[in-house]
């Protein structure tokens, strides 16, 4: 496994962090989830391949245990808003002083800087601020978020995992750790690069839901079937569209 021997401490949080930790565990990393004391369940559905322990980081003894663990870890995954770990004396400045090779991955909605950095939010909020939500939905209807997949998982957990991979690679050259600032707003905006780079190609010149790739074309959309189910059609190329409409 590619990440065999990599030691990760995942501070328990909402789904983006546990998903990131699960991706690392799936590729061989030794992931230990640090839960809050007195809290049950919550992220157990994304705990595949992980071990866990419970610490009260607000108490000196719990914080001291985490510092000792971080002194031997390769990666620590912080899912909290800006300033939370600093208040606990567990920010990157302190932990990397004790372990200069530590990769400190910070995964939050709005990032560590700016006027929103200390605010709470959810997938739909990050999706809206990224600009992507304005592109999603049916013609003439309100924008509609595609579950919580884009910001939480794509722009958040998966982008953070990619940042950790790159930091691990860079460390093989410098021997030093990195601080990763993974913002779900910015990660989702990055995922949507194609949308904005193709504005002048005619792909998105019509209102939402009336373009070729968002349900506005008969050859790239969904249809209700005779048995009251649905089918997806994706026949963009002329030869495939011809086969689609051919009378058999």
């Amino acid at each position: 496994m590619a990440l065999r021997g990599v030691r990760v401490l995942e501070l328990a949080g909402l789904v983006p962090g546990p998903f990131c930790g699960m991706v690392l565990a799936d590729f061989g990393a030794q992931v230990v989830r640090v839960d809050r004391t007195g809290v049950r369940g919550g992220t157990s559905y994304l705990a595949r391949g992980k071990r866990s322990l419970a610490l009260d980081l607000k108490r000196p003894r719990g914080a001291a245990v985490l510092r000792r663990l971080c002194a031997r870890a390769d990666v620590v995954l912080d899912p909290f808003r800006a300033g939370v770990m600093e208040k606990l004396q567990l920010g990157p400045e302190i932990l990397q002083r004790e372990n200069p090779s530590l990769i400190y991955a910070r995964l939050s909605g709005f990032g560590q800087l700016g006027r929103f950095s200390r605010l709470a939010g959810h997938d739909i909020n990050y999706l809206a601020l990224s600009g992507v939500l304005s592109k999603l939905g049916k013609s003439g209807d309100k924008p509609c978020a595609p579950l919580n997949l884009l910001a939480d998982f794509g722009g958040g957990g998966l982008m953070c995992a990619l940042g950790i991979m790159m930091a691990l690679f860079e460390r093989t050259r410098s021997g030093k750790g990195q601080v990763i600032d993974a913002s779900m707003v910015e990660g989702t905006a990055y995922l949507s690069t194609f949308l904005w780079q193709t504005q002048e190609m005619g792909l998105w010149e019509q209102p939402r839901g009336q373009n070729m790739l968002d349900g506005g074309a008969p050859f790239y959309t969904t249809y209700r079937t005779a048995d009251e189910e649905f089918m997806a059609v994706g026949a963009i190329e002329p030869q495939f569209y011809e086969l689609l409409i051919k009378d058999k």
Side-chain angles (χ1 to χ4, degrees), residues 2-11 21 24-25 27-34 49-51 66 68-77 99 101-105 164 168 171:
L3 297 180
R4 181 179 300 158
V6 174
R7 294 158 296 186
V8 179
L9 290 172
E10 173 201 313
L11 304 182
L24 301 177
F27 287 90
Q30 301 170 15
V31 180
V32 175
R33 190 185 71 215
V34 181
K50 304 175 186 178
R51 294 179 294 167
L66 184 68
R68 289 198 298 271
L69 291 171
C70 287
R72 302 190 300 271
D74 296 293
V75 179
V76 61
L77 179 53
N99 180 3
S101 65
L102 179 67
I103 294 166
Y104 198 108
I164 291 169
L168 286 168
R171 195 179 66 175

Side-chain angles (χ1 to χ4, degrees), residues 136-158:
L136 304 174
K138 296 181 179 179
S139 175
D141 206 345
K142 63 183 180 181
C144 182
L147 306 178
N148 66 324
L149 293 175
L150 280 179
D152 279 354
F153 293 98
L158 200 57

Side-chain angles (χ1 to χ4, degrees), residues 103 159 161-171 178:
I103 294 166
M159 279 292 184
L162 176 61
I164 291 169
M165 300 290 189
M166 290 190 286
L168 286 168
F169 178 73
E170 195 281 335
R171 195 179 66 175
Q178 304 281 327

